[in-house]
Amino acid sequence: MSSAVQDRPARPTVASSLPVERPVSEIIARARTAPPPIWGGWALAFTSAMLLYGSFYPLNWGWLGWLAPVPLLLLTRLARPTRWMYPGLWLAGAAFWTPALQWMRLGDPSMIPAWLALAFYLACYFPVAIGLIRMAVLRLHVPLAVAAPTVWVAGEYLRSHLMTGFGWYLAGHSQHEFTAMVQMSDLVGVYGVSFVVLLSAAALAECVPATWFSRMRLLPPVCDVSTAVKTLSPRGRIASVLTSVLVVSAASLYGVYRLEQGAFTSGPRVALVQGDFQSQVKQDPQAAEHIYLTHVQITGLTVKHRPDVIVWPETMLPYPLLLAEEGLTRAALQEQFPQTPVELWHEPRADVRLALRDRAEQAGTSLIVGVLTQAATREGARRFNSAVLVEPERGVVGRYDKIHLVPFGEYLPLQDWLPFLEHASPYGKTSIHPGEQVHVFRAREWRLLPTICFEDTVPHLIRRMIALAATPPTEGAPSRAIDCLVNLTNDGWFRNSSEQEQHLVTAAFRCIETRTPMVRAVNTGISALIDGNGIVREPVAFLDYDRLLDPAEPPRTTLRDPHTGRYHKSLNAALIVDVPLDPRGSLYLWWGDWFAASCLVLTLAALGWSVVGRLAAPASASPI
């Protein structure tokens, strides 16, 4: 019997037949360290994108600008990022920038790649900004109300400079209708308004209770809410809100004070000629004469108002200004500009300068006209986007060549290293050359500073141009600033889109920053006078040329539709405006972008300090 027992096979135990159970403590630890689910973080990111879109044109609900950053900033309070948070932030950025910039595609189908490329590049600022704010808040223990506006302004300043810069849709631009608030731009630029907006949004984000984060599915399944969400003490939240209220109040009171100082004096009377011609890459050659004659006829309507200066929009003289260096042969001219018949370089009747002189004599006043300049030189062909000043009897007496070119529209960045980029521009390899100097046009006793197209959207460029244009002080005579900015623009590429309103809004901040009025002559609109407070003024007279051609057209006598409040666009018209000269000074004009640059320096310093700390103690650093 003993042998039978010994021969009997061993009965398997329960432990050997079932999988080994992990300890409960290990399961809880894994649940606590698991990243939060994906949808909460993505929902917040896309909510910010939608709110941000609503704060700009075409909706123009500026009050949303104060709320738009709040959902994004809630993500900076999480101890652990949600699953796929940063890809979601990039997608949310693309969800904002792609529709916001959709007007870029309207000029030509070949601009679609440039539109998408720019939108996808700008979308990177969402995840980068949130990553840097989280680093400052969680690793360096910087208060969110300090970190958020500093990093955000640093990003805006950076993208306003990189690759010639894109200074559109800054947070401060959403507040353009809050006139008192935006007057602080003459201290630190539009970046200061952005700083105040982000400071307020950070204070709101700090007030959201930690328990709400669980409801928004922003936390792991098992966690200690007190450690999973960075939360200020009650006193800290009160201090953050009070700081925000005080800063907004101070900015508004300063704005009221500066508005009351606006004792404007009478300046030149300017006639702004506005055609309605949609721009295309392949223009109909037969349309050139119609464009030219329409502008001549609209100019004739303005003469009875006795303007000191008449301004035509950018490139609305449809014939090139030909300039050939002496000694160039016919063969050289043909090689440099094969599409221009050689005989035009020597045909007096084809000389644009003579035609412009005749137009100035007929109007009896100065003209500023946008024209494409073709310069044949021994070094090769050069093309410029130009503005020329024309005086009766004297003809062309001044020319300004656009300095700040639009990438993909007027030149190809990195085309020598990335030749495939020529497919992203409607002009292929053909590029406009940048001008090299600032020019002041002197019309009678007025000193006018010409700018072209998107140059009026670049803060540091306009500031530098005004500084260079000021006359140096001499013995017995102080320095004299310019009297007025003159912007020549062709927004006919964008076909009655929100670009036209947003361009006007962006230009208005240049007037506040420098306390200098601006007149804008814009093909298809919106032509306007902007005073030194950034306020778009009604013209002395609104001359509706379309109404004269077709009496059935509804009469338009103001800049805006009185029923909808929207600007009139896409019409042939002329505006007669009296420019109000602004005697006030501007700290921004004197000191420049020290504030925004300081934000960038602080952000880079914080990044460097965080990297050093991470390398010194990688195990203790929190995931960002």
Side-chain angles (χ1 to χ4, degrees), residues 7 54 94 106 120 172 178 194 324 352 378 420 448 477 515 518 545 605:
D7 295 336
L106 300 177
F120 294 165
F178 299 93
S194 296
V352 165
R378 288 185 172 83
F420 66 86
L448 311 175
R515 293 302 177 188
M518 178 191 298
Y545 181 73

Side-chain angles (χ1 to χ4, degrees), residues 270-611:
V270 179
L272 304 173
V273 175
Q274 174 182 302
D276 181 23
F277 298 97
Q278 292 186 358
S279 299
Q280 298 176 351
V281 175
K282 296 181 179 179
Q283 295 280 8
D284 181 2
Q286 297 180 352
E289 184 176 2
H290 176 54
I291 294 173
Y292 175 66
L293 291 179
T294 298
H295 283 80
V296 170
Q297 290 164 358
I298 296 175
T299 298
L301 295 178
T302 69
V303 173
K304 64 180 181 180
H305 294 276
R306 303 180 63 84
D308 298 301
V309 185
I310 300 174
V311 185
W312 288 18
E314 173 192 15
T315 64
M316 281 299 103
L317 183 68
Y319 308 108
L321 176 62
L322 304 180
L323 302 175
E325 195 172 323
E326 289 188 15
L328 288 180
T329 64
R330 293 174 62 91
L333 294 172
Q334 183 66 37
E335 180 182 0
Q336 292 187 24
F337 294 98
Q339 296 181 348
T340 302
V342 176
E343 56 271 13
L344 292 183
W345 295 90
H346 307 287
E347 174 58 57
R349 290 177 300 176
D351 193 337
V352 165
R353 290 168 292 188
L354 296 179
L356 288 174
R357 186 194 65 187
D358 292 342
R359 299 289 79 78
E361 289 181 355
Q362 289 177 353
T365 192
S366 305
L367 296 179
I368 298 177
V369 179
V371 62
L372 181 66
T373 299
Q374 294 184 178
T377 70
R378 288 185 172 83
E379 290 74 25
R382 295 174 68 83
R383 296 175 176 84
F384 301 98
N385 188 350
S386 305
V388 294
L389 173 64
V390 189
E391 295 286 0
E393 299 182 358
R394 299 172 59 197
V396 176
V397 295
R399 189 182 100 232
Y400 164 71
D401 299 325
K402 186 181 180 186
I403 295 174
H404 186 88
L405 303 183
V406 178
F408 298 104
E410 293 174 317
Y411 83 101
L412 287 174
L414 307 176
Q415 60 178 324
D416 294 335
W417 294 274
L418 302 173
F420 66 86
L421 287 177
E422 68 180 76
H423 302 294
S425 170
Y427 296 104
K429 295 181 179 180
T430 303
S431 294
I432 299 293
H433 290 78
E436 298 177 352
Q437 293 183 342
V438 174
H439 288 270
V440 175
F441 288 169
R442 292 175 173 83
R444 301 188 182 180
E445 68 268 32
W446 316 113
R447 304 183 75 248
L448 311 175
L449 182 63
T451 64
I452 299 175
C453 193
F454 287 174
E455 287 184 325
D456 62 357
T457 69
V458 186
H460 52 277
L461 174 69
I462 296 299
R463 173 191 167 271
R464 182 171 63 89
M465 292 177 71
I466 292 179
L468 291 173
T471 59
T474 59
E475 185 176 351
S479 173
R480 183 183 175 189
I482 65 164
D483 295 306
C484 182
L485 290 161
V486 180
N487 180 252
L488 290 68
T489 290
N490 179 8
D491 277 348
W493 296 96
F494 309 117
R495 303 184 184 182
N496 203 25
S497 68
S498 60
E499 182 275 345
Q500 293 160 290
E501 287 93 349
Q502 199 59 46
H503 190 177
L504 178 63
V505 165
T506 309
F509 278 87
R510 307 294 82 80
C511 300
I512 305 172
E513 290 165 348
T514 62
R515 293 302 177 188
T516 306
M518 178 191 298
V519 291
R520 304 179 73 241
V522 185
N523 177 42
T524 71
I526 304 166
S527 300
L529 162 66
I530 310 172
D531 67 20
N533 291 326
I535 297 174
V536 179
R537 293 199 172 193
E538 278 292 334
V540 174
F542 189 93
L543 311 177
D544 189 345
Y545 181 73
D546 290 338
R547 170 73 172 176
L548 296 178
L549 297 180
D550 183 5
E553 283 281 330
R556 290 167 288 198
T557 58
T558 58
L559 197 59
R560 296 175 182 259
D561 186 323
H563 302 292
T564 65
R566 295 185 177 275
Y567 290 106
H568 291 304
K569 300 188 295 185
S570 299
L571 75 159
N572 296 286
L575 282 69
I576 308 299
V577 298
D578 290 336
V579 177
L581 302 183
D582 197 331
R584 294 171 296 177
S586 161
L587 288 179
Y588 178 79
L589 190 58
W590 299 333
W591 295 350
D593 286 318
W594 67 269
F595 178 77
S598 299
C599 289
L600 179 59
V601 170
L602 289 173
T603 300
L604 294 176
L607 176 61
W609 185 262
S610 178
V611 170

